Amino acid sequence: MRLTVAALLVIATGISFAQTPKPGVEAHLSQGAQLMKSQLFDAAATEFEQAIAEDPADPRAHFQLAVCLMSLGRNDDARQQFEQVHKLTGESRYVTYYLGRLDLLSNDYPSAIQRLRSVVTNPPFPDTAFYLGVAYMSSGNVADGVRWLEQAVKLEPRDYRVHYRLARAYSSAGREQDAAHQYALYSQLRDEHKNTEKDVRACGDALRTEALASAREVCHQMSDPNDPEKLTLLGQLFGDAGAFED
């Protein structure tokens, strides 16, 4: 359910921007993206703020800053930046999605439902149905909450948090057997996720400190042809280390 920095950059680049990019702005955007990749959101936010100072009309900087601010829990500031993107570019399903999530965080469930429902048929991100289901459950609408969380499980079957929310929704609907099944899946996938995080750390450390041949032996332990998430992470780790053929 977490977007990669690469995905966010593609979205930001695709945001309508008619002017000729300025070199200084591009440098700040590039540096900010690298900092986001390392989850250094405070420093990344500073880069995007400097990009905005050089060109306040560039919606890409506002969008990236908004994502950073959301990651830092500065939700009111993030909302201002997303609304600025809307002013600069017009309607955007990506902005609507994020504003819906911010509505959910501020307990404005009717607005969250309205926004997320408006984009769920052509979702900007796979977890749109998940957040819509959570919004319905939080508003007390169990039937629609269950419906959208069931859709979310189909879209993101490997995300343990979706199974946990659906289990709670089934319990609220009195479907205890279904709830027990979802809780079991939640526990299984959560444990697998923890193991994947350990493998990622081990691979990253090996690529930083060992020769590539030795690092390959460590990293290939997480290579599972039946797990696209692990393969994607493995590809990103090799790419970050400059081992592009791997």
Side-chain angles (χ1 to χ4, degrees):
M1 291 171 63
R2 294 178 182 174
L3 290 173
T4 65
V5 172
L8 288 171
L9 288 175
V10 169
I11 293 162
T13 302
I15 290 173
S16 177
F17 182 57
Q19 301 179 30
T20 302
K22 299 179 179 180
V25 172
E26 298 304 309
H28 288 304
L29 291 176
S30 177
Q31 181 62 24
Q34 291 301 315
L35 291 166
M36 283 181 71
K37 193 173 184 180
S38 301
Q39 298 188 2
L40 299 173
F41 295 110
D42 272 315
T46 298
E47 291 293 333
F48 297 133
E49 287 169 344
Q50 291 175 346
I52 291 170
E54 291 201 24
D55 188 354
D58 191 327
R60 301 170 302 164
H62 290 283
F63 182 87
Q64 295 286 56
L65 176 59
V67 174
C68 277
L69 294 173
M70 230 181 131
S71 299
L72 293 167
R74 294 170 55 185
N75 295 337
D76 290 340
D77 294 332
R79 183 183 293 276
Q80 291 179 7
Q81 294 300 319
F82 283 125
E83 289 174 347
Q84 183 63 25
V85 176
H86 183 269
K87 290 178 182 177
L88 291 169
T89 66
E91 195 65 35
S92 164
R93 60 196 178 102
Y94 299 108
V95 173
T96 299
Y97 160 89
Y98 275 113
L99 288 174
R101 284 187 56 185
L102 287 169
D103 289 337
L104 183 57
L105 289 169
S106 64
N107 301 327
D108 187 351
Y109 306 128
S111 182
I113 290 169
Q114 181 181 9
R115 292 186 198 272
L116 293 169
R117 187 68 184 265
S118 73
V119 297
V120 75
T121 55
N122 182 24
F125 305 116
D127 59 8
T128 305
F130 169 78
Y131 287 111
L132 180 57
V134 172
Y136 272 120
M137 289 300 300
S138 300
S139 72
N141 186 336
V142 175
D144 281 329
V146 167
R147 179 163 69 94
W148 285 108
L149 288 171
E150 287 176 338
Q151 179 68 15
V153 162
K154 293 177 183 178
L155 293 169
E156 299 192 288
R158 300 290 302 172
D159 195 311
Y160 63 90
R161 292 163 293 186
V162 182
H163 291 281
Y164 176 73
R165 285 286 189 167
L166 181 56
R168 291 180 58 184
Y170 280 149
S171 291
S172 297
R175 297 168 58 178
E176 295 303 333
Q177 186 172 356
D178 290 332
H181 176 64
Q182 291 299 319
Y183 277 127
L185 288 172
Y186 157 71
S187 296
Q188 174 189 336
L189 292 169
R190 180 194 57 189
D191 291 344
E192 290 179 5
H193 178 76
K194 290 180 179 178
N195 290 333
T196 298
E197 286 187 331
K198 291 180 182 177
D199 290 341
V200 167
R201 286 195 295 271
C203 175
D205 290 342
L207 287 168
R208 283 191 298 271
T209 61
E210 300 179 19
L212 182 57
S214 298
R216 282 195 188 103
E217 296 180 8
V218 176
C219 293
H220 284 170
Q221 293 178 14
M222 63 181 288
S223 178
D224 182 349
N226 298 314
D227 191 332
E229 180 183 1
K230 282 187 176 181
L231 292 175
T232 300
L233 290 170
L234 186 57
Q236 290 175 342
L237 288 166
F238 277 125
D240 291 345
F244 299 115
E245 288 187 9
D246 290 278

